[in-house]
Amino acid sequence: MLTPLFRAVGGRLCAALALLACAGGAHAEDGYALWMRYVPAAVEVAAGYRLQLGEVVAPDQTPTQRAARDELARGLPGVLGTAPPIRTDLAGDRALVLGTPQSSMLVAPFREDIATLGEDGYLIRKVRSGGRDLLLVAARQDIGVLYGVFHLLRLLQRGASLESLDVRESPRVALRVLDHWDNLDRYVERGYAGGSLWDWQTLPQWRDPRYTDYARANASLGINGTVLNNVNASALSLSPAYLAKAAALADLFRPYGIRVYLSARFSAPIELGGLATADPLNPEVQRWWREKVEEIYALIPDFGGFLVKANSEGQPGPQDYGRSHADGANLLGDALAPHNGVVMWRAFVYSHEVPEDRAKQAYGEFIGLDGAFRRNVIVQVKNGPIDFQPREPFHPLFGAMPRTPLMMEFQITKEYLGFATHLVYLGTLYEEVLRADTRVRGPGSTVARVVDGSLHGHGLTGIAGVANIGVDRTWSGSHFDQANWYAFGRLAWNPQQSARAIAEDWAALTFSPDPQVTGPIVRMMMASREAAVDYMTPLGLHHLMARGHHYGPGPWVDGGPRADWTSVYYHRADRHGVGFDRTSAGSNAVSLYAPAVAAEYGDLARVPESLLLWFHHVPWDHRMRSGQVLWDELVGRYSRGVRQVQSLQAAWATLQGRIDPQRYQHVAAFLQIQQEEAQWWRDASVAYFQSLSGRPLPPGEPPPPHPLSYYQALQFPFAPGDGR
Amino acid sequence: MLTPLFRAVGGRLCAALALLACAGGAHAEDGYALWMRYVPAAVEVAAGYRLQLGEVVAPDQTPTQRAARDELARGLPGVLGTAPPIRTDLAGDRALVLGTPQSSMLVAPFREDIATLGEDGYLIRKVRSGGRDLLLVAARQDIGVLYGVFHLLRLLQRGASLESLDVRESPRVALRVLDHWDNLDRYVERGYAGGSLWDWQTLPQWRDPRYTDYARANASLGINGTVLNNVNASALSLSPAYLAKAAALADLFRPYGIRVYLSARFSAPIELGGLATADPLNPEVQRWWREKVEEIYALIPDFGGFLVKANSEGQPGPQDYGRSHADGANLLGDALAPHNGVVMWRAFVYSHEVPEDRAKQAYGEFIGLDGAFRRNVIVQVKNGPIDFQPREPFHPLFGAMPRTPLMMEFQITKEYLGFATHLVYLGTLYEEVLRADTRVRGPGSTVARVVDGSLHGHGLTGIAGVANIGVDRTWSGSHFDQANWYAFGRLAWNPQQSARAIAEDWAALTFSPDPQVTGPIVRMMMASREAAVDYMTPLGLHHLMARGHHYGPGPWVDGGPRADWTSVYYHRADRHGVGFDRTSAGSNAVSLYAPAVAAEYGDLARVPESLLLWFHHVPWDHRMRSGQVLWDELVGRYSRGVRQVQSLQAAWATLQGRIDPQRYQHVAAFLQIQQEEAQWWRDASVAYFQSLSGRPLPPGEPPPPHPLSYYQALQFPFAPGDGR
């Protein structure tokens, strides 16, 4: 709504200026705009863009076509400084042209070229056609066009040249999904960005515009699915009232190509249906699920399917009835199959009774089920065998179940990586996992090729990320955590991409394409995850955080209901040494990997030092490749991590004045928290391990300022995101 | 940060335009700006303003002086369309002049006039002085000037004439306080606007600009205190880590005249101090509190004091040690006195053991303590004797403790009034209570005069409101709930103000000064509370909501741990009649009021029908003033409430196109929810009471669409704001 005075003075120029001011002004720099800020291009670049993009020709018949137009109507005025007309027919002789061969006569001549794109693929190409200069964004389907529009807007925001533009893109993974661990009371388990985006209390009547902005952000990355509720699920999410609410969200997401999924509680037939059992082989149970699924599809015709956590950490599941995970998954698979829905069945299971090394349990439970799942079931495997640690080796199930589609489960929310306040870019973690070589079919059998289906020839493929999104104005709880959402989405589209290239893109879009801005930011991002590994769990240590909420160090955690919920279980430190022996002399978890990998990990001389204490129990005086003994190296790594955070602070300080003050201050404050907490991790960890090793600190290493008992006594009952 | 292109084109005009576009554009209309939208005045009005306000002369030496300048720098460009220079010395011959006699030579000549203002008061006056035309905003202290600036900005936003302007304002109440029922994990008890504003996890390092916007909004109303944490308090809010966080907030609020208070857990000396007791007469306990208070004041020199809920609903308190509420309050009062802090001691108490009518219990516990409290203790009394019901008579303690300062506790958050989705303007509720006549010193002994201290000559006075604020972008969970924050603040400043005038102000500032907008909106607001009374609890019924979360109807609620946590306790309906007999034949709660009031309330012929069933148990065939029998009247009221909500919807529909689409849609969706829930209340209540009365529905009244059992079976385990 323009104000009267504004109308009185303004013309088109003023409108554009006002738009620019809003998009780029200090007022807007609270992070809400994410990587879609649409601020003006440099003057000479904008002039060129205005020439080529002076007219937009785009169909307007479907919701997705209108979404593509809407996005250009948001983005082009911001970047170009003018709002080009958006028409359904060409008027001039230069234009941006959107469409499919069906929706656009201008696109139709390129039908053959387009036909070889994937379902969701697109091309962006400068062509000369019928005497006109056209920039085509073309695809087989509307959704591909929308993806192409977002790609083009990325290019424009980076100031890329449109001359000779020729992009062909198709996703390498079919299901690109965010998992929200959001409870129905809006509490987000492991959420550090405020409460859940989904305001169940006011749905379905109130359709908050933010839901559409969520869909836009995801579509801009190619994310095409969202699991609305926590894997620790309430059966009520499947009740009629909540299905009506989910359907309202699905309606809003549909134009953006995003399907809604739900986490299904396995015992829902008992809790909602009043049945006496949830046994997957019971015909009444089967009928209940069939009818429930029909009820869902009547409300949500493109419902994606179910995500299930079963027989894990107290959740109900098929084993309660003596059935297998395959029996459970197939029960739901059969119900969903007539509607083309899928089951994402989590492999994150470990038994309450089994004393086996937890790193082996999921493998042990699933390996025998290879080939036993229905065609619409995909098994969702966390990236590592424990639980989203700062560093883990890849999960041994990758490559080990050739007849079963395996879906990657990454965690975007930083449960174990400093919550929202630590700057830790996860692109490098994801990349490390995806590039890991399982060797199951010889060199080059990367995890990425398991996940994209190319290694074992699966068409049903997927990558899931546990979302870091909440109602916080930044969406992710911090400005830099937006990069992890972004990197997840880009890697889900193409797991072969480089984490650095993604960081460069994100930094340019989010802050500025100015190399004096992106240079330091990308360097900060690329160094950040290794810094966190160093100050939290260097050299293959893992699972040493405080109990429950996982906020801060807790290497002394022991006791409680389960050995593998303690820290001492994982580090096994004593007077003599430290580390978990997973060689053949120990738990033999190395044997779960392909022989070539097992040989490397199992050999103290060959194991990467970054995974040393994951696979080996080593004396404190073990000689490291640096020449130092392990104890000295360990302390040195902790201190190095702290110094690395100080370097992040110093790098950020160089950007003062180059970045809007609001985001500058926000990031600086969070880096201050990170610095203090890195120091805390270092001091507490050194104090603890020294109490066991009895060794002096290496020269130059300051002693922790407090005794160990001080660190052990700290309590944080209100730390965010705790499971409950 | 202006963008390069913007700088390239822009001059001052463009900057102003951009500001206008941001302030008034669709982008900004998410409610965040509250009543401080600063959109352009009508063209001819703005021209006049530019003439008078072409220059601002204001001191810049103190944080509060700078806050006043900052607010003008935000507001004037928006309203005027230009940004007048803000200087410390006068250049031209017309100006807006801010200051105190100490801070401004231009203000000094008006010293005597200013001296008669209250501490926080101000004047706004058009004067001719030294040959110049000045508009003065002057006060004894900086904070008064800031209040005056907000007042002036309100006038400008309403398009008021500046000619002959002569405003003198002083608050009639000293402590104007928001109580946040915010837990340290950011859960807000009875909060319907998302999580707590206070992000304890990132404090004190990160000082979110929103904290300052919170302070601005409060200061704009004259609110001068905030209790940061829930009255159901964790002792940890008094631990060093949390005090450092509270101190950071206090630093941000201080320039805006807002003092920080904390809810104190009475047993903190045990939980934090390791003492064996919290007995208020124990010297170690006294020393612990003294030292704790010293620790607080070292961090927060202007700390306001403590709010305490003791011996109520499971909270610890002095009665645990056989001591009185006065002993408990005085313990803290003595600790705070050297620092000029106050104790706000809640009278919302009722014993777990006492079978007495709950409406009498707080009175019974406190009446004997009149005069027993320290001079810095104020007893905080809820507006009515039960608990923030849609309608209650005024609390009988008001007027009954002449030697004790009594503070009003209103609830702004709508725990019992439809949460955030129902449009219920509370200004009329507050006004009704404040204008109620206690008669304790004859006619005119209003509750307002008890609260403002004039009736019994108290200087320590206060009004508290349980805040309805959270991280929701609207702050209050809905657009119209902002009006309740606004009305609370304005009435806390001056309890004699008219709810209608406040509604007119709010509607003009929040939506538009256009009478075609404010007219319907004010009519909606003024009718809204009576509508809610009708569809929830007409004719003096009370406490009939669902158990625990209080979402929706629950007149059938019985059983559980306490009779007075049920509905049947309060309505006492059976085959013969309905209502709580509080006459001398019943609990005799009427006797707690002054004789003149007791005589009216206790007499079936004289009691206002709006309180009929609060004070009387009446047969279903009791003849009402309308001529109908009670049963027919009751059903008719329920249905009238539903129709009134439909009228709200119809009135709102007339505003489509006159209100920005975002807020229009948002309010329309919430009205739809309200309409559905009003119908639910009516149907469930009618079904329930009919099951008891056995009477037919009056002619024309449709039967509830479901049997009673349907309504009784509805469960809402995830309703927001539940206590826990």
Side-chain angles (χ1 to χ4, degrees):
Chain A
M1 192 183 65
L2 296 181
T3 58
L5 178 61
F6 185 70
R7 267 203 303 275
V9 185
R12 202 174 290 170
L13 174 67
C14 288
L17 280 171
L19 266 170
L20 298 182
C22 283
H27 202 75
E29 295 300 5
D30 56 9
Y32 185 82
L34 294 164
W35 44 85
M36 302 174 293
R37 290 164 60 245
Y38 303 140
V39 297
V43 174
E44 61 285 3
V45 175
Y49 288 169
R50 283 195 294 271
L51 202 64
Q52 177 63 61
L53 308 173
E55 181 183 352
V56 179
V57 182
D60 63 357
Q61 295 302 301
T62 71
T64 299
Q65 289 169 4
R66 289 190 288 271
R69 289 174 144 243
D70 289 348
E71 200 61 31
L72 288 172
R74 275 191 200 92
L76 292 182
V79 178
L80 276 58
T82 56
I86 304 184
R87 306 195 171 104
T88 49
D89 294 301
L90 187 61
D93 55 7
R94 284 176 193 236
L96 170 62
V97 172
L98 313 189
T100 64
Q102 295 72 44
S103 70
S104 167
M105 278 174 45
L106 294 167
V107 170
F110 304 91
R111 185 184 309 271
E112 281 184 34
D113 203 358
I114 292 166
T116 58
L117 290 165
E119 283 277 302
D120 291 353
Y122 55 85
L123 59 78
I124 307 175
R125 186 179 297 164
K126 192 81 185 295
V127 298
R128 190 137 179 99
S129 175
R132 273 93 53 114
D133 277 325
L134 306 181
L135 181 61
L136 296 185
V137 177
R140 286 168 59 187
Q141 305 190 100
D142 289 341
I143 185 64
V145 177
L146 180 64
Y147 290 151
V149 163
F150 279 113
H151 189 133
L152 175 65
L153 284 165
R154 275 205 304 267
L155 294 174
L156 298 178
Q157 289 185 87
R158 295 208 57 178
S161 165
L162 303 182
E163 292 313 306
S164 337
L165 200 57
D166 191 3
V167 172
R168 281 180 71 89
E169 274 284 341
S170 287
R172 301 195 183 198
V173 174
L175 308 180
R176 308 176 294 276
V177 177
L178 285 183
D179 292 352
H180 289 270
W181 287 359
D182 293 15
N183 295 343
L184 299 182
D185 66 357
R186 299 190 82 175
Y187 186 85
V188 181
E189 183 169 335
R190 310 310 175 185
Y192 313 105
S196 170
L197 276 188
W198 325 131
D199 185 1
W200 297 109
Q201 181 73 13
T202 61
L203 282 167
Q205 293 95 338
W206 169 231
R207 301 179 174 210
D208 190 329
R210 188 162 188 171
Y211 300 141
T212 297
D213 287 333
Y214 166 86
R216 289 174 51 231
N218 282 322
S220 80
L221 306 172
I223 290 171
N224 66 356
T226 178
V227 184
L228 298 178
N229 61 316
N230 194 348
V231 287
N232 294 318
S234 164
L236 282 181
S237 67
L238 300 175
S239 67
Y242 281 92
L243 290 177
K245 296 167 190 283
L249 293 175
D251 288 343
L252 294 167
F253 299 163
R254 191 170 294 114
Y256 292 89
I258 295 164
R259 288 183 171 204
V260 157
Y261 298 73
L262 292 171
S263 289
R265 185 164 166 88
F266 197 78
S267 54
I270 299 172
E271 290 146 348
L272 289 186
L275 301 188
T277 178
D279 182 348
L281 302 194
N282 178 297
E284 279 189 80
V285 170
Q286 294 168 352
R287 192 168 69 132
W288 188 88
W289 280 109
R290 220 162 39 235
E291 291 175 359
K292 178 55 69 179
V293 166
E294 283 164 11
E295 178 189 351
I296 295 173
Y297 278 90
L299 291 164
I300 310 174
D302 58 348
F303 180 65
F306 294 130
L307 171 64
V308 186
K309 174 177 180 176
N311 291 122
S312 172
E313 301 184 321
Q315 294 298 315
Q319 294 178 338
D320 302 346
Y321 307 95
R323 315 302 182 187
S324 73
H325 282 288
D327 293 329
N330 293 342
L331 163 74
L332 302 177
D334 287 341
L336 289 160
H339 310 278
N340 299 313
V342 303
V343 179
M344 304 180 291
W345 190 268
R346 290 175 97 228
F348 179 66
V349 300
Y350 51 99
S351 165
H352 272 274
E353 285 77 31
V354 181
E356 180 62 278
D357 176 7
R358 187 166 132 192
K360 296 173 66 179
Q361 290 197 38
Y363 186 98
E365 296 235 28
F366 276 82
I367 194 71
L369 299 174
D370 189 25
F373 295 93
R374 296 286 186 274
R375 293 174 60 88
N376 63 335
V377 173
I378 186 165
V379 173
Q380 183 168 307
V381 181
K382 290 190 180 182
N383 60 274
I386 298 296
D387 193 11
F388 299 136
Q389 295 302 296
R391 171 167 278 125
E392 301 193 32
F394 69 88
H395 199 296
L397 278 175
F398 288 113
M401 294 182 70
R403 293 186 294 150
T404 306
L406 298 188
M407 186 164 182
M408 172 64 74
E409 180 175 344
F410 283 129
Q411 195 178 44
I412 311 173
T413 189
K414 304 207 308 302
E415 174 181 358
Y416 297 102
L417 282 141
F419 296 3
T421 38
H422 292 211
L423 194 169
V424 181
Y425 174 52
L426 298 178
T428 49
L429 186 160
Y430 303 154
E431 179 182 66
E432 178 178 295
V433 173
L434 290 166
R435 293 189 177 181
D437 195 342
T438 70
R439 305 287 287 275
V440 294
R441 293 203 169 175
S445 305
T446 60
V447 171
R449 294 195 55 222
V450 176
V451 170
D452 72 15
S454 62
L455 192 69
H456 295 125
H458 292 296
L460 178 56
T461 57
I463 298 191
V466 180
N468 66 349
I469 301 167
V471 296
D472 191 84
R473 194 66 183 161
T474 63
W475 298 85
S476 301
S478 78
H479 294 291
F480 272 90
D481 276 315
Q482 297 179 352
N484 294 325
W485 179 9
Y486 185 88
F488 165 78
R490 297 290 301 274
L491 283 164
W493 179 274
N494 177 2
Q496 312 280 355
Q497 273 185 104
S498 129
R500 177 180 294 275
I502 293 170
E504 284 166 355
D505 243 2
W506 177 81
L509 300 173
T510 302
F511 287 105
S512 162
D514 176 357
Q516 291 191 278
V517 173
T518 53
I521 288 177
V522 171
R523 284 193 293 278
M524 290 170 68
M525 292 168 74
M526 293 304 289
S528 61
R529 184 261 188 143
E530 206 62 43
V533 169
D534 275 352
Y535 64 71
M536 288 179 172
T537 48
L539 299 175
L541 288 172
H542 49 289
H543 205 292
L544 304 187
M545 69 300 305
R547 196 195 295 274
H549 50 62
H550 302 160
Y551 174 60
W556 47 77
V557 168
D558 62 5
R562 296 177 57 94
D564 58 0
W565 286 357
T566 71
S567 298
V568 298
Y569 173 86
Y570 291 102
H571 66 63
R572 308 200 168 200
D574 60 16
R575 175 146 199 83
H576 306 293
V578 61
F580 197 128
D581 185 356
R582 292 190 168 109
T583 69
S584 56
S587 80
N588 205 21
V590 291
S591 70
L592 308 186
Y593 292 97
V597 175
E600 183 186 335
Y601 287 168
D603 183 348
L604 188 56
R606 292 175 61 207
V607 66
E609 284 190 341
S610 62
L611 292 174
L612 175 66
L613 304 179
W614 187 285
F615 285 113
H616 298 270
H617 187 81
V618 182
W620 291 113
D621 59 3
H622 172 76
R623 192 63 61 181
M624 303 292 289
R625 280 160 212 162
S626 67
Q628 295 188 94
V629 298
L630 170 62
W631 167 249
D632 291 359
E633 178 104 1
L634 182 72
V635 175
R637 289 294 179 101
Y638 273 113
S639 296
R640 187 176 80 176
V642 177
R643 288 196 306 277
Q644 286 167 318
V645 175
Q646 291 162 343
S647 300
L648 298 183
Q649 291 183 289
W652 188 251
T654 69
L655 297 173
Q656 188 160 21
R658 292 189 192 278
I659 296 209
D660 52 283
Q662 186 170 346
R663 289 192 293 176
Y664 178 81
Q665 296 296 345
H666 196 166
V667 172
F670 276 30
L671 286 170
Q672 179 61 28
I673 294 172
Q674 183 175 13
Q675 192 278 319
E676 293 168 16
E677 293 186 357
Q679 188 70 53
W680 167 34
W681 266 95
R682 181 267 180 199
D683 291 336
S685 302
V686 167
Y688 173 73
F689 285 119
Q690 191 176 32
S691 77
L692 298 171
S693 78
R695 289 176 171 253
L697 294 180
E701 283 288 353
H706 300 285
L708 174 59
S709 59
Y710 167 87
Y711 301 105
Q712 290 175 318
L714 294 173
Q715 297 289 328
F716 302 93
F718 305 111
D722 202 358
R724 64 176 194 195
Chain B
M1 194 182 68
L2 296 180
T3 58
L5 178 60
F6 185 71
R7 268 201 304 274
V9 185
R12 203 174 287 171
L13 174 66
C14 288
L17 279 172
L19 265 171
L20 297 182
C22 283
H27 202 73
E29 297 297 9
D30 56 8
Y32 185 82
L34 295 163
W35 45 85
M36 303 174 293
R37 290 164 60 246
Y38 302 142
V39 297
V43 174
E44 62 285 3
V45 175
Y49 287 169
R50 283 195 294 271
L51 200 64
Q52 177 62 58
L53 308 173
E55 181 183 353
V56 179
V57 183
D60 63 356
Q61 296 302 301
T62 70
T64 299
Q65 289 169 2
R66 289 190 288 272
R69 288 173 146 243
D70 289 349
E71 200 62 31
L72 288 173
R74 275 190 200 92
L76 292 183
V79 178
L80 276 58
T82 56
I86 304 184
R87 307 196 171 102
T88 49
D89 295 302
L90 187 60
D93 55 7
R94 284 177 192 234
L96 170 63
V97 173
L98 313 188
T100 64
Q102 294 73 44
S103 71
S104 167
M105 280 173 44
L106 294 168
V107 170
F110 304 91
R111 187 182 309 269
E112 282 185 35
D113 202 359
I114 292 166
T116 57
L117 290 164
E119 283 277 300
D120 291 354
Y122 55 85
L123 58 79
I124 306 175
R125 185 178 298 164
K126 191 84 184 294
V127 298
R128 192 141 176 97
S129 174
R132 274 94 53 115
D133 277 325
L134 305 182
L135 181 61
L136 295 185
V137 177
R140 286 168 59 185
Q141 305 189 102
D142 289 342
I143 186 64
V145 177
L146 180 63
Y147 290 152
V149 163
F150 279 113
H151 189 134
L152 175 64
L153 285 165
R154 274 206 304 267
L155 294 174
L156 298 179
Q157 290 185 87
R158 295 208 57 179
S161 165
L162 305 181
E163 292 313 306
S164 340
L165 201 56
D166 191 3
V167 172
R168 280 181 70 90
E169 274 284 342
S170 287
R172 301 195 183 198
V173 174
L175 309 180
R176 307 175 296 274
V177 177
L178 285 183
D179 292 352
H180 289 269
W181 287 359
D182 293 15
N183 294 343
L184 299 181
D185 65 356
R186 299 189 82 174
Y187 186 85
V188 181
E189 183 170 334
R190 311 308 175 185
Y192 313 104
S196 171
L197 277 187
W198 325 131
D199 186 2
W200 298 109
Q201 181 74 11
T202 61
L203 282 167
Q205 294 95 339
W206 169 231
R207 300 176 175 213
D208 190 327
R210 188 162 189 172
Y211 300 142
T212 298
D213 287 333
Y214 166 85
R216 290 174 51 230
N218 282 323
S220 79
L221 306 172
I223 290 171
N224 66 356
T226 176
V227 184
L228 298 178
N229 60 317
N230 194 349
V231 288
N232 294 318
S234 163
L236 282 181
S237 67
L238 301 174
S239 67
Y242 280 93
L243 291 176
K245 297 167 190 284
L249 293 175
D251 288 344
L252 293 167
F253 299 163
R254 190 170 295 114
Y256 292 89
I258 294 164
R259 288 182 170 203
V260 157
Y261 298 73
L262 291 172
S263 289
R265 185 165 166 89
F266 197 78
S267 54
I270 299 171
E271 289 145 351
L272 290 186
L275 301 187
T277 178
D279 182 347
L281 301 193
N282 179 297
E284 279 190 79
V285 171
Q286 292 168 353
R287 192 168 69 131
W288 188 87
W289 280 109
R290 222 161 38 234
E291 291 175 0
K292 178 54 70 181
V293 166
E294 284 165 9
E295 179 190 350
I296 295 173
Y297 278 91
L299 292 164
I300 310 173
D302 58 347
F303 179 65
F306 294 131
L307 171 64
V308 186
K309 173 177 181 176
N311 291 123
S312 172
E313 300 184 324
Q315 294 296 314
Q319 295 178 338
D320 301 346
Y321 307 95
R323 314 302 183 186
S324 73
H325 281 287
D327 293 330
N330 293 342
L331 163 75
L332 302 176
D334 286 342
L336 288 160
H339 311 277
N340 300 313
V342 304
V343 179
M344 303 179 292
W345 190 271
R346 290 174 98 230
F348 179 66
V349 300
Y350 52 98
S351 165
H352 272 276
E353 285 77 31
V354 181
E356 179 63 277
D357 176 6
R358 187 166 133 192
K360 296 174 66 180
Q361 290 198 38
Y363 186 98
E365 296 233 28
F366 277 80
I367 195 70
L369 298 174
D370 189 26
F373 295 94
R374 296 286 186 273
R375 292 174 60 86
N376 62 336
V377 173
I378 186 165
V379 173
Q380 183 168 306
V381 181
K382 290 190 180 182
N383 59 275
I386 298 295
D387 192 10
F388 299 136
Q389 294 302 298
R391 170 167 279 126
E392 301 193 31
F394 69 89
H395 199 297
L397 278 174
F398 288 113
M401 294 181 71
R403 293 186 295 150
T404 305
L406 297 188
M407 184 165 183
M408 172 63 74
E409 180 175 342
F410 283 130
Q411 194 178 45
I412 312 172
T413 188
K414 303 208 309 301
E415 174 181 358
Y416 297 103
L417 283 140
F419 297 5
T421 37
H422 292 210
L423 194 169
V424 181
Y425 174 53
L426 298 178
T428 49
L429 187 160
Y430 303 154
E431 180 182 66
E432 176 178 295
V433 173
L434 290 165
R435 295 190 176 181
D437 195 343
T438 70
R439 306 288 288 274
V440 293
R441 295 202 169 176
S445 305
T446 60
V447 171
R449 293 195 57 221
V450 175
V451 169
D452 72 15
S454 62
L455 192 68
H456 296 124
H458 291 295
L460 178 57
T461 56
I463 298 192
V466 180
N468 65 349
I469 300 168
V471 296
D472 191 84
R473 194 67 182 160
T474 62
W475 298 85
S476 301
S478 77
H479 294 290
F480 272 90
D481 277 315
Q482 297 179 351
N484 294 326
W485 179 8
Y486 185 88
F488 165 78
R490 296 291 301 275
L491 283 166
W493 178 274
N494 178 2
Q496 314 280 357
Q497 274 185 103
S498 125
R500 176 180 295 275
I502 293 171
E504 284 166 356
D505 244 2
W506 177 81
L509 300 172
T510 302
F511 287 106
S512 163
D514 176 356
Q516 291 192 281
V517 173
T518 53
I521 288 177
V522 171
R523 283 193 293 277
M524 290 169 70
M525 291 168 74
M526 293 304 289
S528 60
R529 184 258 190 148
E530 208 60 44
V533 169
D534 275 350
Y535 64 72
M536 289 179 172
T537 48
L539 298 175
L541 288 172
H542 50 289
H543 205 292
L544 304 187
M545 69 300 305
R547 195 195 297 274
H549 50 63
H550 303 161
Y551 175 60
W556 47 78
V557 169
D558 62 5
R562 296 176 58 93
D564 58 0
W565 285 357
T566 70
S567 299
V568 297
Y569 173 86
Y570 292 101
H571 66 64
R572 308 200 168 200
D574 60 16
R575 171 142 202 87
H576 307 293
V578 61
F580 197 128
D581 185 356
R582 292 189 170 109
T583 69
S584 56
S587 78
N588 205 21
V590 291
S591 69
L592 309 185
Y593 293 96
V597 175
E600 183 187 337
Y601 287 168
D603 182 348
L604 188 56
R606 293 175 60 206
V607 66
E609 284 190 342
S610 62
L611 292 174
L612 174 67
L613 304 179
W614 187 283
F615 286 113
H616 297 270
H617 187 82
V618 183
W620 292 114
D621 58 5
H622 172 76
R623 191 63 57 181
M624 303 292 289
R625 280 160 213 162
S626 65
Q628 294 189 93
V629 298
L630 170 62
W631 167 250
D632 290 358
E633 179 104 1
L634 182 73
V635 175
R637 289 295 179 102
Y638 274 114
S639 297
R640 187 176 80 177
V642 177
R643 287 195 307 275
Q644 285 166 319
V645 176
Q646 290 162 344
S647 300
L648 298 182
Q649 291 181 290
W652 188 251
T654 68
L655 297 173
Q656 187 160 22
R658 294 188 192 277
I659 298 215
D660 52 284
Q662 186 170 347
R663 290 191 294 176
Y664 178 81
Q665 295 296 344
H666 195 164
V667 172
F670 276 31
L671 286 170
Q672 180 60 29
I673 293 172
Q674 183 176 14
Q675 192 278 319
E676 292 168 16
E677 293 186 357
Q679 188 70 55
W680 168 34
W681 266 96
R682 180 266 180 200
D683 291 336
S685 302
V686 167
Y688 172 72
F689 286 119
Q690 191 176 32
S691 78
L692 297 173
S693 78
R695 288 173 172 258
L697 294 181
E701 283 288 352
H706 301 284
L708 175 58
S709 58
Y710 166 87
Y711 302 105
Q712 290 175 317
L714 294 173
Q715 297 290 326
F716 302 93
F718 305 111
D722 202 357
R724 63 177 193 193

